[in-house]
Amino acid sequence: MNNGESSYRRSSEIGLDALECLVIKYNKKLVFYLFGLVNDLDAAEDLAADSFLKLYTKKPRIKDEAALKAYLYRTAHNCAVDYLRALSRRKKLCVETELNEETAADVLSLEEEFVKDERQKQVRHALSQLKSDYRDVLYLLYFEEMSYDDVATVLKKSRKQVGNLAYRAKQALEAELVKEGFNYENG
């Protein structure tokens, strides 16, 4: 039994100690994923905390770590959608073109943990230029290393839809990279 699943099972038996193990394991990646959805680091951190709280309070029956991770990301995705809906209803949803310096520094430090060299930065930038469906499917498949079935669960799509979406997303990413002058020969 792997660490995530055993930690979760312990969390439902012994309390918050095992939940802490799950937070340590998944929090940074979950915040990074949520930041991509809501474009607000503080909100992403709050939404991640809400997701862990929902995981702990609802205690769904989880078979393995992949299912646990998919459930956690689906919960986080739903929290992000609810958050964006609430902003829209209050008519406070505005597209910010520039981040303030403090938030930009926080985002940069978070990104540096995941993006180590210049080629990865180019890929990350090209990925950010894609439609949100394309960005989500590629992020979950390649950065979170989820299976097509798990991505289908998170995005509420069929496995076939995820496959088609991934194919189109890869083509769009390649076109964006070519447009930005990405050099394939050295990679």
Side-chain angles (χ1 to χ4, degrees):
M1 189 180 308
N2 55 39
N3 189 30
E5 180 186 359
S6 63
S7 295
Y8 176 75
R9 288 179 195 251
R10 284 194 320 264
S11 74
S12 62
E13 295 169 6
I14 63 172
L16 295 175
D17 293 337
L19 181 63
E20 184 178 355
C21 293
L22 291 172
V23 171
I24 290 168
K25 184 171 184 175
Y26 293 114
N27 190 55
K28 287 182 183 177
K29 289 182 178 183
L30 190 62
V31 168
F32 194 70
Y33 171 69
L34 288 166
F35 176 75
L37 297 174
V38 299
N39 201 26
D40 180 344
L41 187 58
D42 292 331
E45 289 170 344
D46 291 343
L47 292 169
D50 290 347
S51 301
F52 284 110
L53 181 63
K54 286 181 181 183
L55 176 72
Y56 181 72
T57 57
K58 294 195 183 203
K59 294 183 172 127
R61 295 192 183 271
I62 303 292
K63 296 176 186 169
D64 58 22
E65 186 174 10
L68 169 68
K69 189 174 183 181
Y71 180 86
L72 179 62
Y73 275 75
R74 180 74 237 155
T75 301
H77 184 87
N78 289 343
C79 287
V81 168
D82 291 345
Y83 168 80
L84 292 173
R85 237 183 244 137
L87 281 179
S88 177
R89 268 183 281 207
R90 290 188 303 254
K91 297 183 181 187
K92 290 184 179 180
L93 182 63
C94 63
V95 178
E96 294 184 25
T97 56
E98 296 179 5
L99 300 171
N100 67 37
E101 290 180 25
E102 182 180 315
T103 304
D106 290 343
V107 170
L108 182 59
S109 97
L110 183 61
E111 248 184 305
E112 286 173 353
E113 292 183 34
F114 296 98
V115 182
K116 302 268 188 230
D117 65 4
E118 190 59 37
R119 293 178 62 79
Q120 288 175 325
K121 287 179 185 176
Q122 287 177 309
V123 171
R124 174 80 59 202
H125 181 265
L127 192 61
S128 73
Q129 302 302 309
L130 300 179
K131 293 185 346 183
S132 65
D133 283 348
Y134 290 174
R135 185 175 53 245
D136 289 348
V137 76
L138 291 176
Y139 180 83
L140 293 171
L141 284 172
Y142 297 107
F143 289 92
E144 289 301 321
E145 299 175 354
M146 287 185 174
S147 70
Y148 278 66
D149 291 329
D150 291 339
V151 173
T153 300
V154 170
L155 298 179
K156 289 189 177 177
K157 297 189 181 294
S158 71
R159 189 180 197 291
K160 175 94 171 130
Q161 288 173 315
V162 169
N164 291 339
L165 193 58
Y167 177 77
R168 289 191 305 270
K170 288 178 204 175
Q171 288 182 323
L173 179 61
E174 182 179 354
E176 188 66 33
L177 288 169
V178 167
K179 184 172 94 176
E180 292 181 10
F182 188 80
N183 183 4
Y184 288 102
E185 295 171 6
N186 293 331

